[in-house]
Amino acid sequence: MRTVMSYTVVPRLPKKLEGLRKIAYNVWWSWSQQSRELFTRLDRDLWDSTGHNPIALLGRIDQKRLEEAAKDEGFLAHLRRVEETLESYLHAKSWYQQVNENALQASFAYFSAEFGLHESLPIYSGGLGLLAGDHLKAASGIGIPLTGVGLFYYNGYFRQYLNADGWQQEYLQANEFNNLPCTLERNAEGRPVTVGIELPGREVRLQVWRVDVGRIALYLLDAKIDANRPEDRSITDQLYGGDHEHRLKQEIALGIGGYRALRALGREPDVCHMNEGHAALLALERIRILIEEKGLTFEQAREAVIPGNVFTTHTPVPAGIDRFGADLIDKYFGSWYGRLRTDRRSFMALGRHRPHDEAEPFSMAILALKTAGYANGVSKLHGDVSRKMFRDLWPEVPVEEVPITSITNGVHVRSYVSDPLDEIFVRYNGPRWTYDAANEQTSWKGPERVPDAELWRVHERQRAKLVTWSRERLRGQLTRRGASAKETQAAEEVLDPEALTIGFARRFATYKRGTLLWHDPDRLAAILADKDRPLQIIYAGKAHPKDDAGKQFIQRIAQLARSERFRHKVVFLEDYDIRVARYLVQGVDVWLNNPRRPMEASGTSGMKAAANGALNCSILDGWWCEGYDGSNGWAIGRGEDYTDLEYQDQVESRALYDLLEKQIVPLFYERGEDGLPREWIRRMKRAMQTCIPVFSTHRMVREYTERFYMPAALRYQALNRDQAQAGRDLWDWKMGLYQRWAQVRIEQVSAPQTEALPVGGALEVSAKIHLGPVKHEWVDVQVYTGEMNDQGSIDNGRAISLGRDHDWRGEDGFHMFRGKVPCSGTGRFGFAVRVLPKHENLPNPFIPGLITWG
């Protein structure tokens, strides 16, 4: 066979249009209306047919059209405005510069298996990736020195279509890397930057691509290069494809290869944020580097690494966590035991609940928790669920104090708010309204300034746009399926641009209960059949290729949607992606979400809908527990938990029908003399006012920065300067504690004997503690207090530190600690005294696993 040599062709832009290239290669254009209008102005049809991809547009556009644009003064003026706006954005003083008064020189890295930035860069599957993409966009907006790290999947995630029977079919579509907004990173000699990862008996090379996301660089690793074996090139073929072994190789590439790529690029971070357990292996790489380059022991290196790692868990059930059998871990990490100067047993213990249970698989989430100083769930409720799920890792710690907190997810508002809605917000609130909302969370009045009639006109236009687009998409679906001309023509008649429209779009996992609304088809049909108050439903979503139960949900909806009584009222849109989501959240009136509580860790699609004025109708799960206030949408039920799942479906489907019949539909069609649904509009404004400021990634990323990134960087830097001497000292300190802690005991606890204390008073507590050889500076003596439950235990307790009595003189090794417990409310309270380790470089006192209770 002949040798085939490759070459790349790039667009030839007239000199006056060179600015288009810089704009096209920065994904900032995806949330800049004037940038998108600039590319649309070149060729609207081509912009649509290329999936709104400016690189593909510039590569396929007729050269004559470019020459014409170079002579068009109006177009050139538009181009200059966009260039100036981009330059201003990239160099403006940021929030981070303003709050970083101590001039902390630190860098942060965000590792994720998927990133959802725009539909033209299809390396995402769902909520996890969209959150990651929004995280980068917000980090850019507020100027955080953060770098993204992920994998560049040749085939992305699977594409979806439904066959004639409504059954989901999957196919793959290769990404044309050179037609995407990315560039191959090259070294000083012009050669592609590559890094190696070790797999059994061989090394695999990964090349590095860069995507600019505003001020943020996202680096994506790709194994599809000639230097690798054919089977190794497939490592980055597909997101979430293959078996367990394939998944492990991908996670090695992401965590270990990703960290090595940052070092090769001179961007080694102080803090690494692991977005789910897929990236947990980066902790092992950081430990290895300290061992091999600074001579630390395994234990010392682990202590030095922990404060610089952040872990966010997104799953509320153990089954959703990546776990690998000991045979696979031995196969891929057997050589690491010696490199890390540890033994197999200690290595395996890093990923197990029960460290020495040989039957227990190796969990990436547990590895992340045992090597991270900061951990969180993605909503308040999910934080509670996560603490209960992982409480066995801290057996003597009350569940509410398990060191997993919560930072509720948000969305990058500007990426999802419709352009017309953005325009009226700019008109009445100024061009920085999204930033103002994030800065004025409790006092933002933006929606109130918009006249009702103007807001409603914009919303009605968006609904009509959604209906028109849905008809076009449905017609395309029917044509590809080989439907008859009559069926295809009927697509023009589905949906009503003026009817109350419900949207349901998400991953079709069974716990999300995509068919709950169909629990009683006859009752639903009766609601939909009201000609005076029409209602319609648009569905979209994919089931995992191996989830037949989820596919059955889709099939049932698709088949019912084709039946005569639902044909014009219900539509299922195939191949759910960011573009489909954008049309839906911008055009529907109600966003429906009905998972089994508490299975929805957070959810973000409802936040995007609320930002556009859609009203959420949802189970009180995930973010909606925090977002719902009684006037900005509807709640299905009151947050009850069930053990009988069939009974739960009956109760909650009836509650949903009642809401539709008695509240939602009547309210939508309650019009004044001017034809406006004033009360509905009031709720729309309330939804935007309460959700936009709080459930935004600007708020979320600022919270991560203030609570995690900055303190983590300070601790990590302190532990790793001077050949990581402080890290060595921290381990020595812990070893001293482990050897001496058995002598710590609570000898006596004293408090006044009283029947009752008044609110505003205080209970004085003193504790005589035997520390023996443990220095008093090394411990924190606390009162753990809270309301007593019926079982005599403390619920939702809080810790109050006692101070050492320096004047008290007792026997050697004994110390007296005293303090007051404030009485802030009435009821029956209890308290206990405990002793915990204390050290300035511990992110939390539970890391050593030492605690003594009275």
Side-chain angles (χ1 to χ4, degrees):
M1 182 177 179
R2 296 176 181 174
T3 300
V4 177
M5 301 182 69
S6 65
Y7 58 96
T8 301
V9 178
V10 297
R12 179 168 58 86
L13 294 175
K15 187 175 181 180
K16 289 184 178 181
L17 301 186
E18 269 300 319
L20 286 172
R21 196 187 309 275
K22 180 176 181 179
I23 298 166
Y25 277 98
N26 193 317
V27 183
W28 168 82
W29 55 257
S30 70
W31 70 90
S32 165
Q33 180 184 352
Q34 60 176 341
S35 301
R36 297 193 304 275
E37 289 174 348
L38 183 69
F39 293 114
T40 304
R41 193 167 173 172
L42 278 173
D43 189 325
R44 180 178 297 275
D45 291 339
L46 187 57
W47 176 246
D48 288 337
S49 67
T50 56
H52 301 160
N53 178 351
I55 306 300
L57 171 80
L58 295 178
R60 298 176 191 172
I61 196 167
D62 187 274
Q63 195 68 33
K64 182 180 177 182
R65 176 68 189 103
L66 292 176
E67 298 295 343
E68 290 173 355
K71 298 174 184 177
D72 183 340
E73 289 301 323
F75 184 85
L76 293 176
H78 190 170
L79 173 58
R80 284 192 295 270
R81 287 196 302 273
V82 174
E83 286 186 275
E84 290 167 2
T85 304
L86 175 56
E87 283 300 309
S88 175
Y89 173 85
L90 294 176
H91 299 103
K93 187 173 182 180
S94 68
W95 168 85
Y96 182 77
Q97 290 171 316
Q98 294 169 5
V99 300
N100 188 17
E101 296 175 356
N102 297 323
L104 171 66
Q105 297 297 313
S107 61
F108 318 122
Y110 185 89
F111 287 70
S112 181
E114 50 174 304
F115 286 91
L117 294 165
H118 187 260
E119 62 264 26
S120 65
L121 195 60
I123 54 171
Y124 62 92
S125 70
L128 181 75
L130 297 182
L131 173 77
D134 284 4
H135 195 108
L136 298 192
K137 293 175 184 178
S140 169
I142 58 183
I144 296 171
L146 181 136
T147 302
V149 181
L151 299 180
F152 212 160
Y153 303 99
Y154 181 70
N155 290 308
Y157 197 51
F158 76 87
R159 305 293 299 273
Q160 175 205 52
Y161 70 95
L162 305 186
N163 66 18
D165 196 37
W167 189 256
Q168 173 181 294
Q169 304 289 311
E170 302 95 20
Y171 69 98
L172 298 176
Q173 184 169 309
N175 284 320
E176 298 177 33
F177 287 8
N178 292 306
N179 274 328
L180 297 178
C182 58
T183 53
L184 194 60
E185 283 292 285
R186 297 181 182 275
N187 59 24
E189 291 76 37
R191 291 192 294 270
V193 172
T194 64
V195 294
I197 55 172
E198 299 82 19
L199 297 185
R202 64 197 186 278
E203 181 188 60
V204 174
R205 304 299 297 180
L206 305 168
Q207 65 183 357
V208 185
W209 297 81
R210 174 179 173 136
V211 178
D212 286 318
V213 186
R215 296 187 256 204
I216 301 297
L218 167 61
Y219 293 107
L220 301 171
L221 277 65
D222 159 34
K224 206 171 186 68
I225 56 178
D226 292 342
N228 296 326
R229 300 178 183 180
E231 64 269 26
D232 290 333
R233 295 174 203 162
S234 70
I235 291 174
T236 54
D237 254 7
Q238 184 186 354
L239 174 61
Y240 303 142
D243 56 14
H244 269 65
E245 185 168 5
H246 187 78
R247 178 71 67 88
L248 180 57
K249 288 189 283 188
Q250 286 189 333
E251 296 189 5
I252 292 170
L254 174 62
I256 296 173
Y259 195 81
R260 291 179 182 178
L262 292 182
R263 296 192 88 206
L265 295 167
R267 304 187 71 142
E268 185 170 10
D270 299 293
V271 178
C272 291
H273 187 163
M274 300 173 272
N275 189 39
E276 255 309 340
H278 309 124
L281 293 171
L282 71 83
L284 298 181
E285 176 66 6
R286 301 189 86 182
I287 291 170
R288 181 196 66 79
I289 290 168
L290 289 179
I291 291 170
E292 295 184 354
E293 296 184 5
K294 295 190 177 181
L296 275 65
T297 66
F298 173 75
E299 294 81 6
Q300 290 171 338
R302 183 182 167 210
E303 292 303 322
V305 161
I306 283 175
N309 287 339
V310 173
F311 171 55
T312 297
T313 176
H314 292 259
T315 180
V317 291
I321 294 169
D322 283 340
R323 301 193 302 169
F324 300 98
D327 56 336
L328 273 181
I329 298 300
D330 281 332
K331 178 178 178 179
Y332 283 87
F333 287 96
S335 64
W336 278 65
Y337 307 153
R339 296 183 73 179
L340 296 182
R341 301 183 189 174
T342 189
D343 55 32
R344 179 183 183 276
R345 195 175 198 185
S346 299
F347 185 96
M348 290 292 187
L350 288 174
R352 287 173 169 165
H353 273 283
R354 299 171 300 279
H356 306 306
D357 181 356
E358 282 298 315
E360 183 181 345
F362 190 94
S363 163
M364 290 300 172
I366 293 176
L367 171 63
L369 286 168
K370 289 186 177 182
T371 54
Y374 304 83
N376 69 286
V378 290
S379 69
K380 289 180 180 177
L381 178 59
H382 182 235
D384 293 338
V385 171
S386 299
R387 285 187 286 275
K388 291 172 184 174
M389 188 162 69
F390 293 109
R391 67 180 304 178
D392 290 350
L393 297 178
W394 296 272
E396 293 190 72
V397 177
V399 65
E400 61 269 17
E401 287 194 305
V402 166
I404 303 174
T405 184
S406 66
I407 294 180
T408 302
N409 282 345
V411 297
H412 187 254
V413 175
R414 194 55 203 88
S415 289
Y416 295 98
V417 165
S418 72
D419 290 338
L421 184 59
D422 176 60
E423 287 171 5
I424 62 171
F425 268 114
V426 168
R427 187 179 312 142
Y428 292 101
N429 295 279
R432 291 179 56 83
W433 67 269
T434 54
Y435 296 96
D436 293 340
N439 292 332
E440 305 164 11
Q441 288 183 30
T442 58
S443 60
W444 187 60
K445 304 296 183 185
E448 294 181 7
R449 301 188 183 106
V450 180
D452 286 1
E454 199 164 348
L455 177 63
W456 188 245
R457 281 198 301 271
V458 166
H459 181 67
E460 287 203 299
R461 286 199 298 269
Q462 288 303 120
R463 188 194 316 114
K465 182 179 178 181
L466 168 63
V467 168
T468 301
W469 183 80
S470 297
R471 289 171 176 173
E472 292 174 356
R473 196 167 179 93
L474 179 60
R475 188 169 61 247
Q477 292 174 193
L478 292 169
T479 300
R480 285 191 298 275
R481 196 182 301 146
S484 66
K486 183 180 180 180
E487 287 180 288
T488 305
Q489 185 65 33
E492 298 291 345
E493 302 172 5
V494 303
L495 305 178
D496 178 350
E498 296 183 357
L500 171 59
T501 304
I502 294 176
F504 183 98
R506 54 193 30 87
R507 183 165 55 91
F508 264 75
T510 51
Y511 79 84
K512 293 179 183 283
R513 296 190 297 179
T515 56
L516 185 69
L517 190 56
W518 298 87
H519 201 269
D520 186 343
D522 293 333
R523 189 172 178 184
L524 178 61
I527 297 171
L528 295 176
D530 189 335
K531 294 182 179 179
D532 295 325
R533 302 188 304 183
L535 173 68
Q536 56 199 14
I537 312 163
I538 303 177
Y539 283 92
K542 297 177 178 179
H544 189 279
K546 296 179 181 178
D547 182 5
D548 282 348
K551 291 183 180 181
Q552 288 168 3
F553 279 15
I554 292 174
Q555 183 181 43
R556 183 172 184 230
I557 293 170
Q559 291 178 344
L560 285 166
R562 296 174 194 169
S563 65
E564 191 57 40
R565 58 178 176 169
F566 295 117
R567 185 184 302 276
H568 299 292
K569 301 283 190 176
V570 181
V571 169
F572 188 97
L573 301 178
E574 297 173 4
D575 206 24
Y576 185 43
D577 66 359
I578 291 178
R579 187 185 187 195
V580 176
R582 200 163 47 239
Y583 272 99
L584 284 167
V585 299
Q586 292 175 3
V588 300
D589 301 292
V590 175
W591 193 257
L592 179 62
N593 187 31
N594 41 239
R596 291 196 193 281
R597 175 186 163 99
M599 300 285 283
E600 186 80 277
S602 174
T604 55
S605 59
M607 301 174 189
K608 297 162 189 169
N612 283 280
L615 302 180
N616 276 269
C617 179
S618 176
I619 298 291
L620 286 171
D621 196 9
W623 80 281
W624 194 231
C625 293
E626 302 164 51
Y628 176 64
D629 73 353
S631 63
N632 60 355
W634 291 274
I636 304 169
R638 299 181 179 178
E640 302 91 346
D641 293 325
Y642 295 84
T643 54
D644 186 332
L645 301 185
E646 185 176 339
Y647 176 67
Q648 179 183 10
D649 289 349
Q650 291 176 2
V651 171
E652 292 180 343
S653 62
R654 286 198 296 265
L656 177 53
Y657 294 136
D658 287 345
L659 281 173
L660 290 172
E661 292 168 338
K662 300 174 183 178
Q663 296 188 43
I664 297 174
V665 174
L667 188 68
F668 183 83
Y669 289 103
E670 184 182 296
R671 308 293 169 102
E673 292 183 2
D674 55 6
L676 296 178
R678 294 283 182 178
E679 179 57 25
W680 188 277
I681 295 171
R682 187 190 68 78
R683 283 187 176 241
M684 287 175 63
K685 289 185 173 183
R686 183 65 184 165
M688 291 187 284
Q689 184 175 342
T690 55
C691 296
I692 288 175
V694 179
F695 300 102
S696 75
T697 40
H698 283 88
R699 184 274 311 157
M700 180 191 80
V701 176
R702 281 165 53 168
E703 200 171 341
Y704 274 113
T705 303
E706 293 173 330
R707 291 176 55 188
F708 290 177
Y709 294 169
M710 293 176 75
L714 287 169
R715 284 197 174 98
Y716 180 79
Q717 289 176 358
L719 287 175
N720 286 279
R721 65 172 61 101
D722 300 327
Q723 288 297 107
Q725 185 57 50
R728 302 171 199 261
D729 294 342
L730 180 59
W731 173 248
D732 292 342
W733 171 81
K734 280 180 67 173
M735 285 300 295
L737 277 185
Y738 290 144
Q739 293 164 6
R740 301 175 178 88
W741 194 262
Q743 299 184 54
V744 174
R745 64 179 184 272
I746 299 172
E747 192 75 12
Q748 182 182 6
V749 177
S750 302
Q753 295 296 315
T754 179
E755 286 297 318
L757 290 166
V759 172
L763 178 69
E764 296 185 0
V765 177
S766 60
K768 182 181 178 182
I769 310 293
H770 179 263
L771 296 177
V774 176
K775 295 180 181 180
H776 66 82
E777 297 94 339
W778 293 2
V779 301
D780 188 13
V781 179
Q782 299 176 339
V783 171
Y784 180 76
T785 182
E787 289 193 61
M788 299 279 285
N789 59 29
D790 294 338
Q791 289 76 43
S793 301
I794 294 172
D795 280 338
N796 299 315
R798 60 183 178 125
I800 300 171
S801 295
L802 301 179
R804 179 170 172 267
D805 187 342
H806 297 279
D807 297 327
W808 185 81
R809 294 289 178 266
E811 308 165 53
D812 287 345
F814 284 87
H815 302 263
M816 183 64 71
F817 292 81
R818 304 183 192 277
K820 295 182 178 181
V821 178
C823 302
S824 55
T826 60
R828 183 167 174 257
F829 292 81
F831 76 91
V833 174
R834 67 187 184 186
V835 184
L836 286 167
K838 182 173 68 174
H839 193 284
E840 63 179 354
N841 285 324
L842 278 182
N844 71 74
F846 304 115
I847 285 178
L850 300 172
I851 183 170
T852 296
W853 289 91

Short mmCIF file of all heavy atoms in Angstrom, two decimals, residues 745-750 766-770 814-817 833:
data_model
loop_
_atom_site.label_atom_id
_atom_site.label_comp_id
_atom_site.label_asym_id
_atom_site.label_seq_id
_atom_site.Cartn_x
_atom_site.Cartn_y
_atom_site.Cartn_z
N ARG A 745 -7.36 10.94 77.29
CA ARG A 745 -8.66 10.54 77.82
C ARG A 745 -9.31 11.74 78.50
O ARG A 745 -8.64 12.68 78.95
CB ARG A 745 -8.52 9.38 78.81
CG ARG A 745 -7.74 9.69 80.06
CD ARG A 745 -7.69 8.47 80.98
NE ARG A 745 -7.01 8.77 82.25
CZ ARG A 745 -5.70 8.67 82.44
NH1 ARG A 745 -4.90 8.26 81.45
NH2 ARG A 745 -5.18 8.97 83.62
N ILE A 746 -10.61 11.69 78.56
CA ILE A 746 -11.38 12.75 79.21
C ILE A 746 -11.67 12.27 80.64
O ILE A 746 -12.47 11.36 80.85
CB ILE A 746 -12.66 13.05 78.43
CG1 ILE A 746 -12.27 13.54 77.02
CG2 ILE A 746 -13.53 14.08 79.14
CD1 ILE A 746 -13.42 13.69 76.07
N GLU A 747 -10.99 12.86 81.57
CA GLU A 747 -11.04 12.40 82.96
C GLU A 747 -12.32 12.81 83.64
O GLU A 747 -12.92 12.04 84.40
CB GLU A 747 -9.83 12.97 83.72
CG GLU A 747 -9.59 12.35 85.08
CD GLU A 747 -8.99 10.94 84.96
OE1 GLU A 747 -8.55 10.55 83.86
OE2 GLU A 747 -8.97 10.24 85.99
N GLN A 748 -12.76 14.05 83.42
CA GLN A 748 -13.93 14.54 84.14
C GLN A 748 -14.56 15.69 83.37
O GLN A 748 -13.87 16.55 82.83
CB GLN A 748 -13.52 15.02 85.54
CG GLN A 748 -14.67 15.51 86.39
CD GLN A 748 -14.20 16.03 87.74
OE1 GLN A 748 -12.99 16.11 87.99
NE2 GLN A 748 -15.13 16.34 88.62
N VAL A 749 -15.89 15.71 83.32
CA VAL A 749 -16.63 16.82 82.71
C VAL A 749 -17.57 17.38 83.76
O VAL A 749 -18.29 16.63 84.43
CB VAL A 749 -17.43 16.34 81.48
CG1 VAL A 749 -18.26 17.49 80.90
CG2 VAL A 749 -16.49 15.80 80.41
N SER A 750 -17.57 18.68 83.91
CA SER A 750 -18.40 19.33 84.93
C SER A 750 -19.26 20.41 84.30
O SER A 750 -18.80 21.15 83.43
CB SER A 750 -17.53 19.96 86.02
OG SER A 750 -16.71 18.98 86.62
N SER A 766 -16.68 22.64 82.05
CA SER A 766 -15.24 22.46 82.23
C SER A 766 -14.91 20.99 82.05
O SER A 766 -15.72 20.12 82.37
CB SER A 766 -14.80 22.94 83.63
OG SER A 766 -15.46 22.21 84.63
N ALA A 767 -13.75 20.72 81.51
CA ALA A 767 -13.33 19.35 81.22
C ALA A 767 -11.89 19.16 81.65
O ALA A 767 -11.01 19.92 81.22
CB ALA A 767 -13.51 19.02 79.74
N LYS A 768 -11.69 18.14 82.48
CA LYS A 768 -10.33 17.78 82.89
C LYS A 768 -9.84 16.69 81.93
O LYS A 768 -10.44 15.62 81.81
CB LYS A 768 -10.35 17.27 84.32
CG LYS A 768 -8.98 16.90 84.88
CD LYS A 768 -9.12 16.39 86.32
CE LYS A 768 -7.78 15.96 86.89
NZ LYS A 768 -7.92 15.40 88.27
N ILE A 769 -8.78 17.01 81.20
CA ILE A 769 -8.30 16.14 80.13
C ILE A 769 -6.90 15.63 80.45
O ILE A 769 -6.02 16.40 80.84
CB ILE A 769 -8.26 16.89 78.78
CG1 ILE A 769 -9.57 17.62 78.51
CG2 ILE A 769 -7.90 15.95 77.65
CD1 ILE A 769 -10.76 16.74 78.28
N HIS A 770 -6.71 14.32 80.27
CA HIS A 770 -5.37 13.77 80.38
C HIS A 770 -4.80 13.66 78.97
O HIS A 770 -5.29 12.92 78.13
CB HIS A 770 -5.40 12.38 81.03
CG HIS A 770 -4.02 11.77 81.14
ND1 HIS A 770 -3.54 10.89 80.22
CD2 HIS A 770 -3.04 11.95 82.07
CE1 HIS A 770 -2.30 10.54 80.57
NE2 HIS A 770 -1.99 11.17 81.70
N PHE A 814 -2.12 16.43 82.97
CA PHE A 814 -3.52 16.82 83.02
C PHE A 814 -3.65 18.31 82.69
O PHE A 814 -2.79 19.12 83.02
CB PHE A 814 -4.12 16.55 84.40
CG PHE A 814 -4.41 15.10 84.67
CD1 PHE A 814 -3.42 14.27 85.18
CD2 PHE A 814 -5.65 14.56 84.38
CE1 PHE A 814 -3.68 12.92 85.43
CE2 PHE A 814 -5.91 13.22 84.62
CZ PHE A 814 -4.92 12.40 85.15
N HIS A 815 -4.80 18.64 82.06
CA HIS A 815 -5.08 20.03 81.71
C HIS A 815 -6.56 20.29 81.94
O HIS A 815 -7.39 19.38 81.82
CB HIS A 815 -4.73 20.32 80.25
CG HIS A 815 -3.30 20.05 79.90
ND1 HIS A 815 -2.33 21.01 79.87
CD2 HIS A 815 -2.68 18.87 79.55
CE1 HIS A 815 -1.17 20.48 79.54
NE2 HIS A 815 -1.36 19.16 79.34
N MET A 816 -6.90 21.54 82.24
CA MET A 816 -8.29 21.92 82.42
C MET A 816 -8.71 22.85 81.27
O MET A 816 -8.01 23.81 80.95
CB MET A 816 -8.48 22.65 83.75
CG MET A 816 -9.94 23.03 84.05
SD MET A 816 -11.02 21.57 84.25
CE MET A 816 -10.40 20.98 85.84
N PHE A 817 -9.85 22.52 80.66
CA PHE A 817 -10.40 23.34 79.58
C PHE A 817 -11.79 23.82 79.99
O PHE A 817 -12.57 23.07 80.59
CB PHE A 817 -10.50 22.52 78.29
CG PHE A 817 -9.15 22.17 77.69
CD1 PHE A 817 -8.42 21.09 78.18
CD2 PHE A 817 -8.61 22.91 76.65
CE1 PHE A 817 -7.19 20.76 77.65
CE2 PHE A 817 -7.38 22.59 76.11
CZ PHE A 817 -6.66 21.51 76.61
N VAL A 833 -18.32 15.89 75.34
CA VAL A 833 -17.00 16.51 75.19
C VAL A 833 -16.12 15.56 74.38
O VAL A 833 -16.18 14.34 74.54
CB VAL A 833 -16.38 16.83 76.56
CG1 VAL A 833 -14.94 17.32 76.40
CG2 VAL A 833 -17.21 17.86 77.29
#
